[in-house]
Amino acid sequence: MAAPHPETWMRVLPQGLYCEPGDFFIDPLRAVPRAVITHGHSDHARAGHGAVMATPETLAIMRSRMGEGRAGERQQALGYHQPLTIGELTVTLVPAGHVLGSAQIVMEWRGSRAVVSGDYKRQPDPTCAPFEPVECDVFVTEATFGFPVFRHPPPQHEIAKLLKSLTIFPERTHIIGAYSLGKSQRVIAELRAAGWDAPIYIHGALAALCALYEASGIRLGDLRPATVAKKEAFKGAIVVAPPAACADRWARRFNDPVIARASGWMRVRQRAKMAGVELPMIISDHADWDDLLRSIAETRAPEVWVTHGSEEALIHALTLRQIRGRALRLVGYEDEEAAEEAPDDLAAAVPA
């Protein structure tokens, strides 16, 4: 008997993507009785679920951000590569390379295999396990940067730009706008890898998550709160803060600051200019165009479902490769960082 196609046992419902044999939703958009969560960003990990299953790191992030009582009434930690049987369904979590604890959800039922990637990237990241391609019948992918214009340079190149700016402007404070979960810790770790061993000052919104990363074995070095030092201490210093804080009066306390931002959206010059960013750093935790196509090819999936992002461009490219593409059009999975930057002008800013 032929294996059932995943579209017969996985469905899009108002709550999100539902796996019928396991009776759970993946990254549901509203509170549900049973949820499997790919990672801790708030557009994927929401509060109020009954039972929640995720990696231990993702559950810790959810508790840190939501509070113990809102991260799921019952929490089940599942490590990478540990198959869990639910009836006839087998669920395995595999690294996604997005942020600490991020996972792809691998589901196998009656000889059919589907993989839901969540958000993912292929560039090396010292703060999380790398993405692992899994061969499957249906691969469910994001397409945040699903345009050919988005090709991310090596992060070391962007860190070098920052360090060079520090030598050119030694009296100025360099403030890096970076999302509080994942991007901030990655930028700090890349700075340490590049040899920057001076204290790095952080906004208060980053403190708990940086401590959680440290507790998970990710060394971030000497971090100090950006609120207690005297203004003179910030000359030539690096400060990391959420992007919104860089445009706030909070940033005015520093010496003639150089406003930098670490984001894949910095590829769009208009976006950097509109945000008042003097030093754009193209560092993203999402796969760029080439890595989207490479990842899909490595799964050898004959069919790909696209959850969110630039579905049309990606599906067109898949059609040219004789891969069937399907847009799930799930509303609510915006990149948290992009949402802070009012992405509605992206379509006008991206070249055709």
Side-chain angles (χ1 to χ4, degrees):
M1 184 171 64
H5 191 285
E7 67 184 1
T8 65
W9 52 276
M10 293 184 64
R11 293 182 286 150
V12 176
L13 299 179
Q15 300 95 323
L17 188 60
Y18 178 64
C19 175
E20 189 166 340
D23 188 26
F24 59 76
F25 289 86
I26 299 171
D27 293 350
L29 302 165
R30 61 185 70 168
V32 298
R34 300 178 69 184
V36 178
I37 304 298
T38 60
H39 66 281
H41 281 142
S42 62
D43 54 340
H44 292 255
R46 299 171 192 264
H49 302 310
V52 173
M53 185 172 72
T55 64
E57 295 84 0
T58 293
L59 289 175
I61 290 169
M62 292 176 68
R63 289 191 293 269
S64 175
R65 306 188 86 189
M66 304 173 185
E68 181 71 38
R70 303 188 69 225
E73 296 176 8
R74 302 178 303 283
Q75 300 169 17
Q76 180 177 1
L78 186 65
Y80 292 133
H81 308 118
Q82 298 177 5
L84 176 70
T85 300
I86 305 173
E88 295 184 63
L89 181 79
T90 300
V91 180
T92 309
L93 305 184
V94 174
H98 181 55
V99 297
L100 179 67
S102 60
Q104 303 174 80
I105 315 299
V106 181
M107 293 159 289
E108 299 175 81
W109 187 65
R110 296 182 178 177
S112 175
R113 179 186 291 166
V115 176
V116 178
S117 68
D119 293 336
Y120 64 99
K121 70 172 177 295
R122 304 301 301 269
Q123 288 189 326
D125 180 342
T127 67
C128 64
F131 177 93
E132 297 178 13
V134 178
E135 294 189 12
C136 54
D137 301 297
V138 166
F139 181 58
V140 184
T141 182
E142 57 142 328
T144 300
F145 291 110
F147 274 115
V149 68
F150 290 113
R151 289 184 163 93
H152 306 325
Q156 294 79 11
H157 178 271
E158 303 303 285
I159 293 296
K161 284 167 43 181
L162 171 66
L163 296 178
K164 183 178 181 180
S165 180
L166 282 157
T167 64
I168 296 173
F169 306 111
E171 298 295 313
R172 301 177 68 182
T173 304
H174 285 63
I175 306 177
I176 307 170
Y179 188 67
S180 57
L181 170 58
K183 186 68 63 60
S184 292
Q185 294 77 25
R186 183 184 179 196
V187 166
I188 292 169
E190 293 286 2
L191 279 163
R192 297 308 188 197
W196 183 267
D197 57 5
I200 294 176
Y201 296 89
I202 59 173
H203 187 280
L206 277 56
L209 287 169
C210 286
L212 190 153
Y213 268 64
E214 288 270 7
S216 299
I218 309 299
R219 299 302 174 206
L220 301 177
D222 186 355
L223 302 181
R224 301 182 185 183
T227 54
V228 297
K230 295 181 179 179
K231 192 171 184 176
E232 289 297 312
F234 293 115
K235 285 186 176 180
I238 293 176
V239 177
V240 182
C246 298
D248 188 73
R249 67 173 57 184
W250 180 86
R252 299 176 192 166
R253 72 185 66 190
F254 304 106
N255 289 293
D256 187 19
V258 174
I259 302 299
R261 183 164 300 181
S263 169
W265 300 110
M266 291 298 97
R267 171 65 70 186
V268 184
R269 291 184 180 180
Q270 293 95 319
R271 176 66 61 83
K273 186 177 180 181
M274 291 172 61
V277 174
E278 186 174 348
L279 180 61
M281 301 169 65
I282 306 170
I283 299 177
S284 176
D285 286 332
H286 295 266
D288 66 6
W289 177 253
D290 291 333
D291 282 343
L292 284 171
L293 295 177
R294 175 166 69 102
S295 302
I296 290 168
E298 290 177 355
T299 68
R300 302 174 66 88
E303 183 169 327
V304 173
W305 299 352
V306 185
T307 55
H308 62 287
S310 303
E311 299 102 325
E312 292 82 3
L314 182 58
I315 289 174
H316 177 68
L318 295 178
T319 301
L320 298 177
R321 291 163 174 77
Q322 299 184 328
I323 297 173
R324 181 188 178 198
R326 173 187 171 191
L328 299 185
R329 305 192 189 286
L330 296 175
V331 178
Y333 292 139
E334 294 83 14
D335 176 27
E336 285 186 333
E337 185 178 356
E340 289 183 1
E341 299 177 8
D344 53 338
D345 61 331
L346 177 64
V350 174

